[in-house]
Amino acid sequence: MLDLSSITIIPIGIIVLVTSFNRLQRWRRNRAFVVAHGCQPPVRLSRFRNLIQQIKAIKSHTWLDMWCRRYSNVAATFESATVSIDPIIFTNEPENIKAMLSTDFKSFDLGDRRRRLVEPLLGPGIFSNDGPAWRHSRAMLRPNFTKMQISDLSTFESHFQHLLAALPPADQYSDLVEVDLQPLFFRMTLDSASEVLLGPNMSFNSQSDPPGSTSQRFLEAFDYAQIKVTGVRSVLNRGWTKPLGLIYKLLKGSKKDKSEEAFDTVHSIMDDMIAEFLRAFHQKPFTEGAEKEERNGKYTFLDEMAKSTTDAHELRDEILNVLTAGRDTTASLLSNAFFLLARHPITWNRVRAEVEETFAGKLPDYTTLRSMKQVKNLLNECLRLFPPVPFNSRTATANTTLPKGGGPDENAPIFIKDGQQVNYHVYSLHRLTETFGPDAEEFRPDRWDDASLRPGWGFIPFRHGIATAQIVVFSASLLYAYGFRQTRRIGWFTIGAFSIIRLVGAGCLLGTINKDSDGLWAGVFVCESLGILLLIFTLLEMLERINKTVAVVPKWTFLVPQILTWLDIGISIGGFVTVSKKDSNQLLPTEWSRASTGIMAIIFLYTVGVFVYFWLRRNQYGQEEYRLTMGVGVCEPLLLIRVLYSVIFVITADLTWNAVKGNPTAYLLMTMLPEVAFVATCTFAIRLTSPLPANTGQSNKDPQEGQDLATQP
C-alpha cells in the first residue's frame, strides 16, 4: 500500500521526467539547427555589468548615448540581459534589422510582453496585435488611410493658430518669448489627430480648454498612462522581477493604482465619444451626399471605420492605437526640430528664407510642402539624430537566425531560438560612422543633398519595401508571361522580359543594402530605363495583333519604333560608359540621358498616334480586337505618367524624381503603381484573346493593301 509521500513523489517525478525529456529534445533540435545553419555564438555582456551600466546611465540621463558607446566598445550585436530570465540579443547591425523587418519578417512578431504592456491602455489593435488579429486590424484600417485627405491642410492651420495663441507674451525689453514648446506641440498634435480621427464635433481642444475639462483630463491621463506603461509596470512585468509584481498586486488588492485610474479615464472618455457617435450613426446613416454635407466635405476616420464594424470596443481600441502613433511621433519630431533650429542659426535662416520665398505670406499647400528641399533636409536630419522611436524589439516565433554577429569576427550567423527577444536601437543605428561618415554625431542637414549618401537599412527606408513588393508582383506577371508562351499568345516576350527586368532591378536595389556598390545602382538605373521601352512594345504588339486580323496600317508602321529603339539603346550604352567614368554626381542627368529620354518620348508619342488611328477604326473590329483596343486605351494614360516621371527628372535634374534615389512616394505613385496597373490591364486583355493560327497575317504583304482594307466600311 502506497503511503502519502509516495503518492506525492510519483507525480512530481513524472513531471520532472517529462520536462527533462522535452528540454532534451528541444536542445537536440536547437543544436541540429545551429549546425545546419553554421551559427556561432555572439559576444556576451554579463548581466551584472549590463544592469549597473544602465542604472548609471538612467541616473545621468545618458541612456541613449550609453547604447552608442556600448555598440562601439562591446560589439554591433551581442547577448545579455538584465532582469529577464532568457538572454536577449541586442543589435544595431543594419543586416540584422533588415532580416527582422523584411527578409525574415514572418519569423518575428511583437511578442507577448509588449502586448501585456500596451493592451491595458490601447487594447488589442494594429500596434499591439500579431498574426491573424494584426491582419484583421490592418485590413480594416488600410482602406481608411488611403481615403484620408492629408492634402487638406486647413485643419492643421487652425490648430497651429491655437498653438500661437497659447504662447506667452514677449518680454517687454528683449521682445523674445521664453517657452517650453514640447507640451504645446503634444497638445496641438492631440487636437489635430483627434479631429481627423473623430471629426470636428468630437475633437479635443487641449490648447485652450480650462483645467478639469474633458480635453485636459484626457491629456493628463493619456500622458501619465504612457509613462507608466514604459516605466514601473514594464519593470514589474518581466523575468526575475515578476514575483515583485505579484506581491505588489496582492498588497494592492482590489484598489486601483494611479496608472489603472489613468487607463479608466482614457477609456471612459473615449467610450462616451464612441457611444455618442454610434447613436447618431444608427439613427441617421450617412449617405455619400449627406456625409459630405455633414462633414463639410472633410474626411473623418471614425465614419469610415464604422462602415466595417460598429463594435464600440473595437472602434475605441483602433482609434487609440492610431491616435498614439499620429500624436506622439509628430510632436516628438516637431520638438526636436525646433530644439535643433534654436541652436543652429544658419539652418534656421535657410529654412525661413525658403518658407518666405515659397509662400510669400500665403497658406502652405501639400504639393508645395513636399518640394521644399531645406525643410525636407531638416526633417530627415532630425529623424536621423532623434528618431521618435529610438529603440524597438521583436520576438522570434520559430527557430531562426540573424545574418551577422557570431564568431570572433562577428560575421557568422547567430541562432535565435523560438521565443527569444531581439532589441534593435535605431538611435545608435542612425549614428553609425560607416553609414553617415565621421560627422555622424553632428547636425548637418546638407548631408542629404549628397547623391553618394546611400544609407540603405542604416536609415530604415520606405523604398526597400517597394522593392520587396515589386518582387512579389512581377513574379506573378512572369508566370502569366510563361503561360502566354505555352498557349502561343501575344505579349509573352515583352511582359516576360519586363517582369525579369523589374525583378533584377528590385534585386539590385535590395542588394545595395548589403553592398553599396556603383554596379548595383547602375543595374537599378538600367532596368528602370529598359522597362519603359518594353511597356511601349507591349502596346505595339497588341495593336499589331489587331492589324493581323483587320489590316489597318502597313507593316512598316511597326518597324519605325524598333529602329528608334536600337538608336536609343546605343545612346544609353554610350551614356552608361560616360557616367561610369565620372567621380561624382553619377545619378544626375547628362546630355546622353537627355537624348535617350527624348527618343523614348518620341517613341511613346508615335505609339499614341498609331493607337488613335486604330481607335478611329474600331467599328471594323471583332469582339477580341475591340477588347485589345480598349486595353491599349486604358494603358496609354498609365504609360504617360511613367514617361513623365523620367522626363521631369532629365529636365529639372532634381533628385526627387530620380528612379534610383528619388522620393519614394513619387516613385510609388508615378512608377510602380502605374506599371502594375499597366501589366494587369495588358495581361487581362491578352488572356481573353485567342491565339492566331500560324499563317494569319502572312497575306498582307502590300502596304497599300492594308490601307485599302482600312478604308473599307
Side-chain angles (χ1 to χ4, degrees):
M1 183 175 180
L2 295 176
D3 56 17
L4 183 61
S5 60
S6 300
I7 295 174
T8 305
I9 291 174
I10 289 175
I12 293 176
I14 293 174
I15 293 173
V16 170
L17 286 175
V18 171
T19 303
S20 301
F21 178 78
N22 289 337
R23 286 184 174 273
L24 178 61
Q25 290 290 92
R26 189 181 305 117
W27 180 85
R28 292 180 62 183
R29 287 196 301 270
N30 292 350
R31 182 60 186 167
F33 188 95
V34 168
V35 173
H37 292 81
C39 299
Q40 296 189 38
V43 175
R44 287 184 173 85
L45 177 67
S46 72
R47 288 175 179 264
F48 179 76
R49 182 182 172 191
N50 185 5
L51 184 61
I52 295 301
Q53 287 180 351
Q54 293 208 47
I55 292 174
K56 289 181 178 180
I58 291 172
K59 286 184 176 180
S60 61
H61 303 287
T62 58
W63 191 78
L64 291 174
D65 292 325
M66 176 210 70
W67 283 104
C68 293
R69 295 191 300 271
R70 180 175 282 182
Y71 284 120
S72 298
N73 299 332
V74 180
T77 301
F78 62 90
E79 183 182 83
S80 187
T82 50
V83 297
S84 61
I85 297 176
D86 294 323
I88 299 173
I89 298 296
F90 299 90
T91 185
N92 72 342
E93 169 57 52
E95 279 199 43
N96 291 341
I97 296 173
K98 180 192 74 170
M100 288 187 289
L101 302 183
S102 178
T103 56
D104 196 23
F105 177 79
K106 65 181 184 301
S107 298
F108 294 90
D109 65 12
L110 299 177
D112 291 334
R113 177 173 171 265
R114 179 164 165 178
R115 282 192 293 274
R116 289 196 300 269
L117 285 175
V118 302
E119 280 193 356
L121 173 62
L122 303 181
I126 185 69
F127 296 117
S128 57
N129 283 334
D130 278 317
W134 175 79
R135 287 190 287 272
H136 170 73
S137 294
R138 181 185 62 172
M140 183 171 62
L141 294 179
R142 175 183 284 177
N144 304 330
F145 280 112
T146 61
K147 297 178 183 177
M148 188 177 292
Q149 297 176 357
I150 57 175
S151 58
D152 180 10
L153 301 182
S154 59
T155 297
F156 304 101
E157 173 63 22
S158 63
H159 292 293
F160 175 66
Q161 292 299 328
H162 293 161
L163 181 145
L164 293 181
L167 292 173
D171 184 86
Q172 60 178 334
Y173 300 108
S174 65
D175 199 31
L176 299 177
V177 176
E178 182 178 349
V179 61
D180 183 0
L181 285 173
Q182 189 173 52
L184 299 181
F185 283 141
F186 271 86
R187 293 176 188 172
M188 182 186 73
T189 53
L190 172 66
D191 296 347
S192 61
S194 65
E195 180 169 347
V196 173
L197 296 174
L198 302 171
N201 296 331
M202 291 192 294
S203 62
F204 298 115
N205 190 18
S206 59
Q207 293 283 20
S208 55
D209 282 354
S213 63
T214 300
S215 296
Q216 293 295 335
R217 287 173 51 232
F218 183 90
L219 178 68
E220 293 170 4
F222 198 59
D223 285 344
Y224 184 85
Q226 286 183 294
I227 293 172
K228 290 304 178 182
V229 161
T230 57
V232 176
R233 291 179 65 88
S234 174
V235 175
L236 297 181
N237 193 33
R238 55 190 299 199
W240 302 106
T241 60
K242 275 189 177 182
L244 297 178
L246 294 175
I247 293 173
Y248 172 77
K249 289 181 179 180
L250 290 174
L251 294 176
K252 179 174 67 68
S254 59
K255 182 181 178 181
K256 293 184 177 181
D257 59 21
K258 193 172 181 180
S259 61
E260 291 171 329
E261 291 176 351
F263 298 154
D264 289 344
T265 299
V266 170
H267 291 167
S268 63
I269 292 175
M270 192 60 65
D271 285 341
D272 290 343
M273 290 181 169
I274 299 295
E276 179 184 349
F277 165 79
L278 289 176
R279 280 194 297 270
F281 185 83
H282 290 305
Q283 291 173 2
K284 183 183 177 181
F286 286 124
T287 63
E288 184 176 354
E291 180 179 353
K292 184 175 182 179
E293 181 181 355
E294 180 73 18
R295 301 294 183 183
N296 297 319
K298 292 185 178 180
Y299 172 88
T300 302
F301 199 86
L302 186 56
D303 288 338
E304 292 296 329
M305 278 193 61
K307 297 175 183 178
S308 301
T309 179
T310 55
D311 183 274
H313 285 290
E314 188 172 12
L315 290 173
R316 180 196 71 188
D317 295 339
E318 295 295 356
I319 288 290
L320 285 174
N321 273 260
V322 178
L323 178 64
T324 301
R327 178 232 184 185
D328 292 7
T329 54
T330 307
S332 297
L333 174 59
L334 289 171
S335 301
N336 291 325
F338 278 85
F339 175 86
L340 291 167
L341 284 173
R343 287 154 179 79
H344 296 86
I346 295 177
T347 302
W348 165 263
N349 291 332
R350 288 178 179 175
V351 172
R352 179 168 182 168
E354 183 181 54
V355 171
E356 291 178 342
E357 179 184 353
T358 303
F359 298 112
K362 297 181 296 184
L363 291 180
D365 61 88
Y366 183 72
T367 303
T368 309
L369 280 175
R370 292 179 57 82
S371 64
M372 300 178 71
K373 185 178 73 169
Q374 296 296 336
V375 172
K376 186 187 303 181
N377 289 350
L378 167 67
L379 297 180
N380 275 338
E381 190 71 348
C382 292
L383 289 171
R384 185 185 72 84
L385 286 174
F386 300 107
V389 184
F391 69 96
N392 215 324
S393 67
R394 291 292 184 270
T395 300
T397 58
N399 285 350
T400 186
T401 65
L402 291 180
K404 296 188 70 173
D409 60 357
E410 302 176 25
N411 285 322
I414 61 174
F415 171 61
I416 307 296
K417 67 179 181 179
D418 183 9
Q420 187 169 16
Q421 182 176 322
V422 181
N423 290 1
Y424 61 95
H425 289 76
V426 182
Y427 182 88
S428 173
L429 173 75
H430 286 180
R431 294 167 182 255
L432 292 177
T433 56
E434 299 91 334
T435 304
F436 295 100
D439 63 346
E441 295 281 349
E442 299 178 12
F443 174 75
R444 186 170 66 83
D446 290 348
R447 76 175 72 246
W448 297 98
D449 289 330
D450 185 0
S452 64
L453 177 62
R454 301 166 183 172
W457 281 84
F459 186 72
I460 302 174
F462 179 48
R463 173 64 64 81
H464 295 117
I466 297 176
T468 304
Q470 283 180 321
I471 290 176
V472 175
V473 171
F474 292 117
S475 293
S477 64
L478 182 61
L479 292 177
Y480 267 105
Y482 177 76
F484 292 163
R485 175 68 179 88
Q486 295 298 102
T487 56
R488 296 180 57 252
R489 281 181 167 86
I490 62 171
W492 71 267
F493 177 79
T494 52
I495 294 177
F498 175 78
S499 301
I500 291 173
I501 282 177
R502 276 289 168 265
L503 291 173
V504 172
C508 289
L509 187 58
L510 290 174
T512 60
I513 301 170
N514 302 324
K515 184 180 181 182
D516 197 18
S517 71
D518 290 333
L520 289 173
W521 288 110
V524 176
F525 182 78
V526 170
C527 290
E528 292 290 338
S529 302
L530 292 178
I532 302 178
L533 292 173
L534 285 167
L535 293 180
I536 294 174
F537 272 90
T538 302
L539 298 185
L540 289 171
E541 190 171 1
M542 293 168 69
L543 294 175
E544 190 174 18
R545 162 64 171 79
I546 300 171
N547 202 57
K548 288 181 178 180
T549 305
V550 181
V552 179
V553 296
K555 290 183 178 180
W556 58 260
T557 304
F558 301 100
L559 295 177
V560 173
Q562 295 181 33
I563 296 172
L564 291 175
T565 298
W566 283 111
L567 177 61
D568 192 14
I569 292 174
I571 293 175
S572 298
I573 293 173
F576 178 76
V577 173
T578 303
V579 170
S580 63
K581 296 179 180 179
K582 294 174 63 176
D583 296 328
S584 60
N585 298 325
Q586 293 178 326
L587 297 179
L588 294 178
T590 64
E591 296 303 321
W592 292 88
S593 60
R594 289 189 175 96
S596 175
T597 304
I599 293 176
M600 178 192 67
I602 291 173
I603 297 173
F604 169 71
L605 293 175
Y606 180 90
T607 305
V608 173
V610 174
F611 163 70
V612 171
Y613 195 80
F614 272 75
W615 176 257
L616 294 176
R617 289 153 177 78
R618 62 188 182 279
N619 292 331
Q620 305 173 25
Y621 309 153
Q623 184 178 3
E624 291 188 349
E625 289 73 25
Y626 182 80
R627 190 184 297 119
L628 284 175
T629 308
M630 292 293 295
V632 176
V634 172
C635 290
E636 290 285 5
L638 298 171
L639 191 55
L640 174 62
I641 296 172
R642 180 63 185 91
V643 171
L644 283 176
Y645 181 84
S646 298
V647 171
I648 292 172
F649 172 63
V650 298
I651 292 176
T652 64
D654 185 351
L655 285 176
T656 300
W657 306 99
N658 181 263
V660 178
K661 290 200 65 179
N663 181 275
T665 304
Y667 180 86
L668 177 68
L669 296 178
M670 296 188 69
T671 295
M672 180 182 170
L673 293 182
E675 287 180 353
V676 171
F678 182 102
V679 172
T681 302
C682 291
T683 302
F684 179 76
I686 294 172
R687 187 168 177 268
L688 297 178
T689 303
S690 304
L692 288 176
N695 60 349
T696 302
Q698 296 299 317
S699 61
N700 185 16
K701 297 180 180 180
D702 184 2
Q704 185 62 39
E705 180 185 352
Q707 294 183 359
D708 294 340
L709 288 172
T711 60
Q712 294 178 5

